[in-house]
Amino acid sequence: MDTGLPDVPGLPPGSGRKGPRGGLWPGLFGAVRLSALQLFGVLLAVVGLWTSYYTIPAESEGIVLRFGEYILKVPPGLHFKLPFGVDEVLTVPTQRQLKLEFGFTTPSHTNPDQAAISPEKERSMVTGDLNSALVEWIVQYRITEPETYLFAVREPGQTLRDISESVMREVVGDRTVDEIITIGRQQIEDRVLQRMRELSERYHLGLSINQVQLKNVNPPEPVQPSFNEVNRAQQDRENAINLANGEYNKAVPRARGEADQKIRAAEGYRFKRVNEAEGDAAAFTAVLEQYVKAPEVTRTRIYLETLGEVLPNTRQAIIVDDSVQQLLPMLPLPERLPEATQ
């Protein structure tokens, strides 16, 4: 039947009718309602598809929660879950080396567990000798059990900060300010690291404490100039002691070596004289034995041997009798006579 009204797109021809007040047609309302339902269905499908997958980075692990309850732990990569917020995924950086800074902050530090408290309050400590010191340190750790880290302790990052600060104050309070600034740094780091590992296991933080490193350890700013002067004087004293020890190590061994050399020379001379004396005594004893047996023969032999040793060392000489009245018959004299008569 022709109603004289224009046809409505999407409806059968001739089905367009006016409403009671001449408004839009009921068929048009039905078409719009149908299109809205289809659009909502498409939008719902897109949202469901969009929220049904997730990706875990290579250095992290994922913790899947279903209606807030822990379900499983997933490795890095692409994974699927129930959409529309039924499953929630928490990403935990388990393969990343994390660190906490105490007493100072660096602009590039992005650890979410880094609390926004005053660094001045953190680094101000009292030592065992009732002195004040400003201690700055770093704690490096890694999350080994992500499910324990998330659910065993409330705010595990802040708990770790509290543990570190408490242990550091305890260890620093048992040592003098000189030990903290100079010779005791390594012992403090080792002790704090051991103590933090014990407490993290006791509190089930799911963390592995890798290193505790002391950075700047200084006295309070008002006394820093005086403290630096004391340190400088101590260093000068150590340098003077080291120089004196060096001179001592050079002079004393040299003197000891010279003394040993002279002692050995004296001992050698003593052995030489003793041996020579013993040899002379043995020779004299042998001669004495022969002299006892034949005194005249031995005396003559000794006389001749002595002349044989002495005469070669004397100059040429002419011996004349006292009765000689003149020397003329004895001319010409030998050429060496003037030398002999001198």
Side-chain angles (χ1 to χ4, degrees):
M1 180 179 62
D2 188 6
T3 59
L5 297 176
D7 294 333
V8 178
L11 296 178
S15 62
R17 294 181 297 174
K18 287 186 178 182
R21 298 183 180 180
L24 296 176
W25 306 278
L28 181 60
F29 282 111
V32 172
R33 188 181 301 111
L34 182 61
S35 300
L37 291 175
Q38 293 176 350
L39 180 61
F40 178 75
V42 172
L43 181 61
L44 189 64
V46 171
V47 172
L49 182 62
W50 181 262
T51 58
S52 62
Y53 71 94
Y54 60 95
T55 303
I56 302 299
E59 59 183 9
S60 304
E61 292 182 352
I63 300 298
V64 180
L65 306 179
R66 182 165 298 168
F67 296 111
E69 182 183 0
Y70 170 71
I71 299 300
L72 75 161
K73 178 174 63 176
V74 295
L78 179 63
H79 304 276
F80 296 92
K81 63 183 180 66
L82 297 180
F84 306 113
V86 176
D87 286 351
E88 181 183 1
V89 180
L90 302 178
T91 302
V92 182
T94 56
Q95 302 300 324
R96 186 190 307 171
Q97 186 80 7
L98 304 175
K99 72 174 182 177
L100 292 176
E101 298 174 345
F102 296 85
F104 71 103
T105 55
T106 55
S108 59
H109 191 54
T110 59
N111 191 342
D113 294 334
Q114 184 73 33
I117 65 175
S118 176
E120 289 76 10
K121 295 181 180 180
E122 262 185 349
R123 63 185 178 182
S124 180
M125 300 184 183
V126 178
T127 61
D129 54 356
L130 301 181
N131 286 311
S132 180
L134 303 179
V135 183
E136 299 176 358
W137 73 99
I138 291 177
V139 175
Q140 295 183 356
Y141 66 98
R142 190 168 61 86
I143 301 174
T144 56
E145 301 176 6
E147 61 276 15
T148 304
Y149 176 79
L150 292 175
F151 307 118
V153 177
R154 182 179 298 176
E155 297 182 359
Q158 184 61 39
T159 303
L160 179 62
R161 290 193 65 88
D162 295 339
I163 290 175
S164 178
E165 184 176 355
S166 175
V167 172
M168 183 60 71
R169 291 184 183 277
E170 175 186 353
V171 175
V172 169
D174 292 337
R175 286 166 172 79
T176 64
V177 66
D178 293 333
E179 292 177 343
I180 297 171
I181 296 178
T182 56
I183 60 175
R185 295 171 63 96
Q186 185 63 43
Q187 297 178 356
I188 293 174
E189 292 175 354
D190 296 340
R191 178 56 182 166
V192 172
L193 178 60
Q194 178 184 1
R195 184 62 177 160
M196 287 188 62
R197 286 176 175 174
E198 294 175 356
L199 293 178
S200 64
E201 292 179 0
R202 180 185 301 177
Y203 295 156
H204 302 286
L205 296 180
L207 301 173
S208 174
I209 312 297
N210 298 328
Q211 184 181 14
V212 176
Q213 181 181 6
L214 286 176
K215 301 299 287 184
N216 297 325
V217 181
N218 297 310
E221 295 181 358
V223 299
Q224 280 188 6
S226 300
F227 193 85
N228 292 335
E229 290 294 333
V230 173
N231 288 336
R232 192 176 299 111
Q234 291 179 351
Q235 292 176 0
D236 294 340
R237 174 176 174 272
E238 294 295 332
N239 291 333
I241 293 175
N242 292 333
L243 291 176
N245 289 333
E247 293 297 329
Y248 173 84
N249 293 331
K250 289 192 298 184
V252 172
R254 186 187 305 114
R256 289 176 178 173
E258 293 176 356
D260 292 339
Q261 182 180 2
K262 291 182 179 180
I263 291 174
R264 291 190 181 94
E267 290 177 352
Y269 181 75
R270 178 175 67 87
F271 291 144
K272 176 183 176 183
R273 296 293 303 202
V274 169
N275 293 332
E276 288 179 352
E278 291 178 351
D280 294 341
F284 180 80
T285 302
V287 172
L288 178 61
E289 292 178 355
Q290 298 300 323
Y291 180 80
V292 171
K293 294 178 181 179
E296 292 297 332
V297 176
T298 303
R299 186 182 299 112
T300 302
R301 183 173 61 82
I302 293 174
Y303 176 76
L304 294 177
E305 290 177 355
T306 303
L307 289 180
E309 294 177 358
V310 174
L311 289 179
N313 297 327
T314 61
R315 296 178 180 179
Q316 185 177 6
I318 297 176
I319 302 174
V320 298
D321 193 1
D322 293 339
S323 61
V324 176
Q325 298 296 327
Q326 53 183 348
L327 298 177
L328 184 61
M330 308 179 96
L331 296 178
L333 296 174
E335 296 182 355
R336 295 186 62 185
L337 181 58
E339 298 179 0
T341 58
Q342 290 181 356

Coordinates of all heavy atoms in Angstrom, one line a residue, residues 116-181:
A116 N 62.0 8.7 48.6 CA 62.2 10.1 48.5 C 62.4 10.8 49.9 O 61.9 11.9 50.1 CB 61.0 10.8 47.8
I117 N 63.1 10.1 50.8 CA 63.4 10.7 52.0 C 64.6 11.6 51.9 O 65.4 11.6 50.9 CB 63.6 9.7 53.1 CG1 64.9 8.8 52.8 CG2 62.4 8.8 53.2 CD1 65.2 7.8 53.9
S118 N 64.9 12.4 53.0 CA 66.0 13.3 52.9 C 67.4 12.6 53.0 O 67.6 11.8 53.9 CB 65.9 14.3 54.1 OG 67.0 15.2 54.1
P119 N 68.3 12.8 52.0 CA 69.6 12.1 52.1 C 70.4 12.6 53.3 O 71.2 11.8 53.8 CB 70.2 12.5 50.8 CG 69.1 12.9 49.8 CD 68.1 13.5 50.7
E120 N 70.2 13.8 53.7 CA 71.0 14.3 54.9 C 70.7 13.5 56.1 O 71.6 13.2 56.9 CB 70.7 15.8 55.1 CG 71.3 16.7 54.1 CD 70.5 16.7 52.8 OE1 69.4 16.1 52.8 OE2 71.0 17.2 51.7
K121 N 69.4 13.1 56.3 CA 69.1 12.3 57.5 C 69.6 10.9 57.4 O 70.0 10.3 58.4 CB 67.6 12.3 57.7 CG 67.0 13.6 58.0 CD 65.5 13.5 58.2 CE 64.8 14.9 58.5 NZ 63.4 14.8 58.7
E122 N 69.7 10.3 56.2 CA 70.2 9.0 56.0 C 71.6 8.9 56.3 O 72.1 7.9 56.9 CB 69.9 8.5 54.5 CG 68.7 7.7 54.4 CD 68.5 7.2 53.0 OE1 69.3 7.6 52.1 OE2 67.7 6.3 52.7
R123 N 72.4 9.8 55.8 CA 73.9 9.7 55.9 C 74.5 10.1 57.3 O 75.6 9.9 57.5 CB 74.6 10.4 54.8 CG 74.3 11.9 54.8 CD 74.9 12.6 53.6 NE 74.7 14.0 53.6 CZ 75.1 14.8 52.6 NH1 75.7 14.3 51.6 NH2 74.9 16.1 52.7
S124 N 73.7 10.8 58.1 CA 74.2 11.3 59.4 C 74.1 10.2 60.4 O 73.1 9.6 60.7 CB 73.4 12.5 59.8 OG 73.8 13.0 61.1
M125 N 75.3 9.8 60.9 CA 75.4 8.7 61.9 C 76.4 9.1 63.0 O 77.2 10.0 62.9 CB 75.9 7.4 61.2 CG 75.1 6.9 60.1 SD 75.6 5.4 59.4 CE 74.4 5.2 58.0
V126 N 76.3 8.3 64.1 CA 77.1 8.5 65.3 C 78.0 7.2 65.4 O 77.5 6.1 65.3 CB 76.3 8.6 66.6 CG1 77.2 8.8 67.8 CG2 75.4 9.9 66.4
T127 N 79.3 7.4 65.5 CA 80.3 6.4 65.6 C 80.4 5.8 67.0 O 79.8 6.4 67.9 CB 81.6 6.8 65.1 OG1 82.1 7.9 65.9 CG2 81.5 7.3 63.6
G128 N 81.2 4.8 67.2 CA 81.4 4.2 68.5 C 82.1 5.1 69.5 O 82.0 4.9 70.7
D129 N 83.0 6.0 69.0 CA 83.7 6.9 69.9 C 82.9 8.3 70.0 O 83.5 9.3 70.4 CB 85.1 7.2 69.4 CG 85.1 7.7 67.9 OD1 84.0 7.7 67.3 OD2 86.2 8.0 67.4
L130 N 81.6 8.2 69.8 CA 80.7 9.4 70.0 C 81.0 10.5 69.1 O 80.8 11.7 69.4 CB 80.7 9.8 71.5 CG 80.2 8.7 72.5 CD1 80.2 9.3 73.9 CD2 78.9 8.2 72.1
N131 N 81.5 10.3 67.9 CA 81.8 11.3 66.9 C 80.7 11.2 65.8 O 80.0 10.1 65.7 CB 83.1 11.2 66.2 CG 84.2 11.6 67.2 OD1 84.1 12.7 67.7 ND2 85.3 10.8 67.3
S132 N 80.5 12.2 65.1 CA 79.5 12.2 64.0 C 80.2 12.0 62.6 O 81.3 12.6 62.4 CB 78.7 13.5 64.0 OG 77.8 13.5 62.9
A133 N 79.6 11.3 61.8 CA 80.1 11.0 60.4 C 79.0 11.0 59.4 O 77.9 10.7 59.7 CB 80.9 9.7 60.4
L134 N 79.4 11.4 58.2 CA 78.4 11.4 57.1 C 78.8 10.2 56.2 O 79.9 10.2 55.5 CB 78.5 12.7 56.3 CG 78.3 14.0 57.1 CD1 78.4 15.2 56.2 CD2 76.9 13.9 57.7
V135 N 77.9 9.2 56.1 CA 78.2 8.0 55.4 C 77.3 7.8 54.2 O 76.1 7.9 54.4 CB 78.1 6.7 56.4 CG1 78.5 5.5 55.7 CG2 78.9 6.9 57.6
E136 N 77.9 7.6 53.1 CA 77.1 7.3 51.9 C 77.5 5.9 51.3 O 78.7 5.6 51.3 CB 77.4 8.4 50.8 CG 77.1 9.8 51.2 CD 77.5 10.8 50.2 OE1 78.1 10.4 49.2 OE2 77.2 12.0 50.4
W137 N 76.5 5.1 51.0 CA 76.8 3.8 50.5 C 75.7 3.4 49.5 O 74.7 4.0 49.3 CB 76.8 2.8 51.7 CG 75.5 2.5 52.3 CD1 74.8 1.3 52.1 CD2 74.8 3.2 53.3 NE1 73.6 1.3 52.9 CE2 73.6 2.5 53.6 CE3 75.0 4.5 53.9 CZ2 72.7 2.9 54.5 CZ3 74.1 4.9 54.8 CH2 72.9 4.2 55.1
I138 N 76.0 2.3 48.8 CA 75.2 1.7 47.7 C 75.0 0.2 48.1 O 75.9 -0.5 48.5 CB 75.9 1.8 46.4 CG1 75.9 3.3 45.9 CG2 75.1 1.0 45.3 CD1 76.6 3.5 44.6
V139 N 73.8 -0.3 47.8 CA 73.4 -1.7 48.0 C 73.0 -2.2 46.6 O 72.0 -1.6 46.0 CB 72.3 -1.9 49.0 CG1 71.9 -3.4 49.0 CG2 72.8 -1.5 50.4
Q140 N 73.6 -3.2 46.1 CA 73.3 -3.8 44.8 C 72.6 -5.2 45.1 O 73.2 -6.0 45.9 CB 74.5 -4.0 44.0 CG 75.2 -2.7 43.5 CD 76.4 -2.9 42.6 OE1 76.8 -4.0 42.3 NE2 76.9 -1.8 42.1
Y141 N 71.5 -5.4 44.5 CA 70.8 -6.6 44.7 C 70.0 -7.1 43.5 O 70.0 -6.3 42.5 CB 69.8 -6.4 45.9 CG 68.6 -5.4 45.5 CD1 67.4 -5.9 45.1 CD2 68.8 -4.1 45.6 CE1 66.4 -5.0 44.8 CE2 67.8 -3.2 45.3 CZ 66.6 -3.7 44.9 OH 65.6 -2.8 44.6
R142 N 69.5 -8.3 43.5 CA 68.7 -8.8 42.4 C 67.5 -9.6 43.0 O 67.6 -10.3 44.0 CB 69.6 -9.8 41.6 CG 69.0 -10.2 40.3 CD 70.0 -10.8 39.4 NE 70.6 -12.0 40.0 CZ 70.1 -13.2 39.9 NH1 68.9 -13.4 39.2 NH2 70.6 -14.3 40.5
I143 N 66.4 -9.5 42.3 CA 65.2 -10.2 42.7 C 65.3 -11.7 42.2 O 65.3 -11.9 41.0 CB 63.9 -9.5 42.1 CG1 63.8 -8.1 42.7 CG2 62.7 -10.3 42.6 CD1 62.7 -7.3 42.0
T144 N 65.3 -12.6 43.1 CA 65.5 -14.0 42.7 C 64.2 -14.8 42.8 O 64.0 -15.8 42.0 CB 66.5 -14.7 43.7 OG1 66.1 -14.5 45.0 CG2 67.9 -14.1 43.5
E145 N 63.2 -14.4 43.6 CA 61.9 -15.1 43.8 C 60.8 -14.0 43.6 O 60.4 -13.4 44.6 CB 61.8 -15.8 45.1 CG 62.9 -16.8 45.3 CD 62.8 -17.5 46.7 OE1 61.9 -17.1 47.4 OE2 63.7 -18.3 47.0
P146 N 60.4 -13.8 42.4 CA 59.4 -12.6 42.2 C 58.1 -12.8 43.0 O 57.6 -11.8 43.5 CB 59.2 -12.6 40.7 CG 59.6 -14.0 40.2 CD 60.7 -14.4 41.1
E147 N 57.6 -14.1 43.1 CA 56.3 -14.2 43.8 C 56.5 -14.0 45.3 O 55.6 -13.4 45.9 CB 55.8 -15.7 43.6 CG 56.7 -16.8 44.1 CD 57.8 -17.2 43.1 OE1 58.0 -16.4 42.2 OE2 58.3 -18.2 43.3
T148 N 57.6 -14.3 45.9 CA 57.9 -14.0 47.3 C 58.1 -12.5 47.4 O 57.7 -11.9 48.4 CB 59.2 -14.8 47.8 OG1 58.9 -16.2 47.5 CG2 59.4 -14.5 49.2
Y149 N 58.8 -11.9 46.5 CA 59.1 -10.5 46.6 C 57.8 -9.7 46.5 O 57.7 -8.6 47.2 CB 60.0 -10.1 45.4 CG 60.2 -8.6 45.3 CD1 61.2 -8.0 46.1 CD2 59.6 -7.8 44.3 CE1 61.4 -6.6 46.0 CE2 59.8 -6.5 44.2 CZ 60.7 -5.9 45.0 OH 61.0 -4.5 44.9
L150 N 56.8 -10.1 45.8 CA 55.5 -9.4 45.6 C 54.5 -9.6 46.8 O 53.8 -8.7 47.2 CB 54.9 -9.7 44.3 CG 55.6 -9.2 43.0 CD1 54.9 -9.8 41.8 CD2 55.7 -7.7 43.0
F151 N 54.5 -10.8 47.3 CA 53.4 -11.2 48.2 C 53.8 -11.5 49.6 O 52.9 -11.6 50.5 CB 52.6 -12.4 47.6 CG 52.2 -12.1 46.2 CD1 52.6 -12.9 45.2 CD2 51.3 -11.1 45.9 CE1 52.2 -12.7 43.8 CE2 50.9 -10.8 44.6 CZ 51.4 -11.7 43.5
A152 N 55.1 -11.8 49.9 CA 55.5 -12.2 51.2 C 55.6 -11.1 52.2 O 55.2 -11.2 53.4 CB 56.8 -13.0 51.2
V153 N 56.0 -9.9 51.7 CA 56.2 -8.7 52.5 C 55.6 -7.5 51.9 O 55.7 -7.4 50.6 CB 57.7 -8.5 52.8 CG1 58.0 -7.2 53.6 CG2 58.4 -9.7 53.5
R154 N 54.9 -6.7 52.6 CA 54.4 -5.5 52.1 C 55.5 -4.5 51.9 O 56.3 -4.3 52.8 CB 53.3 -5.0 53.1 CG 52.6 -3.7 52.6 CD 51.6 -3.2 53.6 NE 50.5 -4.2 53.7 CZ 49.5 -4.1 54.6 NH1 49.4 -3.1 55.4 NH2 48.6 -5.1 54.6
E155 N 55.6 -3.9 50.7 CA 56.6 -2.9 50.4 C 58.0 -3.5 50.6 O 58.7 -3.0 51.5 CB 56.4 -1.6 51.1 CG 55.1 -0.9 50.8 CD 54.9 0.4 51.5 OE1 55.9 0.8 52.3 OE2 53.9 1.1 51.4
P156 N 58.4 -4.5 49.8 CA 59.7 -5.1 50.1 C 60.9 -4.1 49.8 O 61.9 -4.2 50.4 CB 59.7 -6.3 49.1 CG 58.7 -5.9 48.0 CD 57.7 -5.1 48.7
G157 N 60.7 -3.2 48.8 CA 61.8 -2.2 48.6 C 62.0 -1.3 49.8 O 63.2 -1.1 50.1
Q158 N 61.0 -0.8 50.4 CA 61.1 0.0 51.6 C 61.7 -0.8 52.7 O 62.5 -0.3 53.5 CB 59.8 0.7 51.9 CG 59.9 1.6 53.1 CD 60.8 2.8 52.8 OE1 60.9 3.3 51.7 NE2 61.6 3.2 53.8
T159 N 61.3 -2.1 52.8 CA 61.8 -2.9 53.9 C 63.3 -3.1 53.7 O 64.1 -3.1 54.7 CB 61.1 -4.3 53.8 OG1 59.7 -4.1 54.0 CG2 61.6 -5.2 55.0
L160 N 63.7 -3.3 52.4 CA 65.2 -3.5 52.2 C 65.9 -2.2 52.6 O 67.0 -2.3 53.1 CB 65.4 -3.8 50.7 CG 66.8 -4.0 50.3 CD1 67.5 -5.2 51.1 CD2 66.9 -4.3 48.8
R161 N 65.4 -1.1 52.3 CA 66.0 0.2 52.7 C 66.1 0.3 54.2 O 67.2 0.7 54.7 CB 65.2 1.4 52.1 CG 65.3 1.6 50.6 CD 64.8 2.9 50.2 NE 65.7 4.0 50.7 CZ 66.7 4.4 50.1 NH1 67.1 3.9 48.9 NH2 67.5 5.4 50.6
D162 N 65.1 0.0 54.9 CA 65.1 0.1 56.3 C 66.1 -0.9 56.9 O 66.8 -0.6 57.9 CB 63.7 -0.2 56.9 CG 62.7 0.8 56.5 OD1 63.1 1.9 56.1 OD2 61.5 0.5 56.5
I163 N 66.2 -2.1 56.3 CA 67.2 -3.1 56.8 C 68.6 -2.6 56.6 O 69.5 -2.6 57.5 CB 67.0 -4.4 56.1 CG1 65.7 -5.1 56.6 CG2 68.2 -5.4 56.3 CD1 65.4 -6.4 55.8
S164 N 68.9 -2.0 55.4 CA 70.2 -1.6 55.1 C 70.6 -0.4 56.0 O 71.7 -0.4 56.5 CB 70.3 -1.1 53.6 OG 71.6 -0.6 53.3
E165 N 69.7 0.5 56.2 CA 70.0 1.7 57.1 C 70.2 1.2 58.5 O 71.2 1.7 59.2 CB 68.9 2.7 57.0 CG 69.2 4.0 57.8 CD 68.2 5.1 57.6 OE1 67.2 4.8 56.8 OE2 68.3 6.1 58.2
S166 N 69.4 0.3 59.0 CA 69.5 -0.2 60.4 C 70.9 -0.9 60.6 O 71.6 -0.7 61.6 CB 68.4 -1.1 60.7 OG 68.5 -1.6 62.0
V167 N 71.2 -1.8 59.6 CA 72.5 -2.5 59.8 C 73.7 -1.6 59.7 O 74.6 -1.8 60.4 CB 72.5 -3.6 58.7 CG1 73.9 -4.3 58.7 CG2 71.4 -4.7 59.0
M168 N 73.6 -0.7 58.8 CA 74.8 0.3 58.6 C 75.0 1.1 59.9 O 76.1 1.3 60.3 CB 74.6 1.2 57.4 CG 75.7 2.1 57.1 SD 77.3 1.3 56.8 CE 76.9 0.6 55.1
R169 N 73.9 1.6 60.5 CA 74.0 2.3 61.7 C 74.5 1.5 62.8 O 75.3 1.9 63.7 CB 72.7 3.0 62.1 CG 72.2 4.0 61.1 CD 70.9 4.7 61.6 NE 70.5 5.7 60.7 CZ 70.9 7.0 60.6 NH1 71.8 7.4 61.5 NH2 70.5 7.8 59.7
E170 N 74.1 0.2 62.9 CA 74.6 -0.7 63.9 C 76.1 -1.0 63.8 O 76.9 -0.9 64.8 CB 73.9 -2.0 63.8 CG 74.3 -3.1 64.8 CD 73.7 -4.4 64.5 OE1 72.7 -4.5 63.7 OE2 74.1 -5.4 65.2
V171 N 76.6 -1.2 62.5 CA 78.0 -1.5 62.3 C 78.9 -0.3 62.5 O 79.9 -0.3 63.2 CB 78.2 -2.1 60.9 CG1 79.7 -2.3 60.6 CG2 77.5 -3.4 60.8
V172 N 78.4 0.9 62.0 CA 79.2 2.1 62.2 C 79.2 2.5 63.7 O 80.2 3.0 64.2 CB 78.5 3.2 61.4 CG1 79.1 4.6 61.8 CG2 78.7 3.0 59.9
G173 N 78.2 2.2 64.4 CA 78.2 2.5 65.9 C 79.1 1.7 66.7 O 79.4 2.0 67.9
D174 N 79.7 0.6 66.1 CA 80.7 -0.2 66.8 C 82.1 0.1 66.5 O 83.0 -0.5 67.0 CB 80.4 -1.7 66.5 CG 79.1 -2.2 67.1 OD1 78.6 -1.6 68.1 OD2 78.5 -3.2 66.6
R175 N 82.3 1.2 65.7 CA 83.7 1.5 65.3 C 84.0 3.0 65.4 O 83.0 3.8 65.5 CB 83.9 1.1 63.8 CG 84.0 -0.4 63.6 CD 83.9 -0.8 62.2 NE 84.2 -2.3 62.0 CZ 83.4 -3.2 62.3 NH1 82.2 -3.0 62.8 NH2 83.7 -4.5 62.1
T176 N 85.2 3.3 65.5 CA 85.6 4.7 65.6 C 85.6 5.4 64.3 O 85.5 4.8 63.2 CB 87.1 4.8 66.2 OG1 88.0 4.2 65.2 CG2 87.2 4.1 67.5
V177 N 85.6 6.7 64.4 CA 85.5 7.5 63.1 C 86.7 7.3 62.3 O 86.7 7.3 61.0 CB 85.3 9.0 63.5 CG1 86.5 9.6 64.2 CG2 85.0 9.8 62.2
D178 N 87.9 7.1 62.9 CA 89.1 6.8 62.1 C 89.0 5.5 61.3 O 89.5 5.4 60.2 CB 90.4 6.8 63.0 CG 90.6 8.2 63.6 OD1 90.3 9.2 62.9 OD2 91.2 8.3 64.7
E179 N 88.5 4.5 61.9 CA 88.3 3.2 61.2 C 87.4 3.3 60.1 O 87.6 2.8 59.0 CB 87.8 2.2 62.2 CG 88.8 1.8 63.3 CD 88.2 0.8 64.3 OE1 87.0 0.6 64.3 OE2 89.0 0.1 65.0
I180 N 86.3 4.1 60.3 CA 85.3 4.2 59.2 C 85.9 5.0 58.0 O 85.6 4.6 56.8 CB 84.1 5.0 59.7 CG1 83.4 4.2 60.9 CG2 83.0 5.2 58.6 CD1 82.3 4.9 61.6
I181 N 86.7 6.0 58.3 CA 87.2 6.8 57.2 C 88.4 6.2 56.5 O 88.6 6.4 55.3 CB 87.5 8.2 57.7 CG1 86.1 8.9 58.2 CG2 88.1 9.1 56.6 CD1 86.3 10.3 58.7

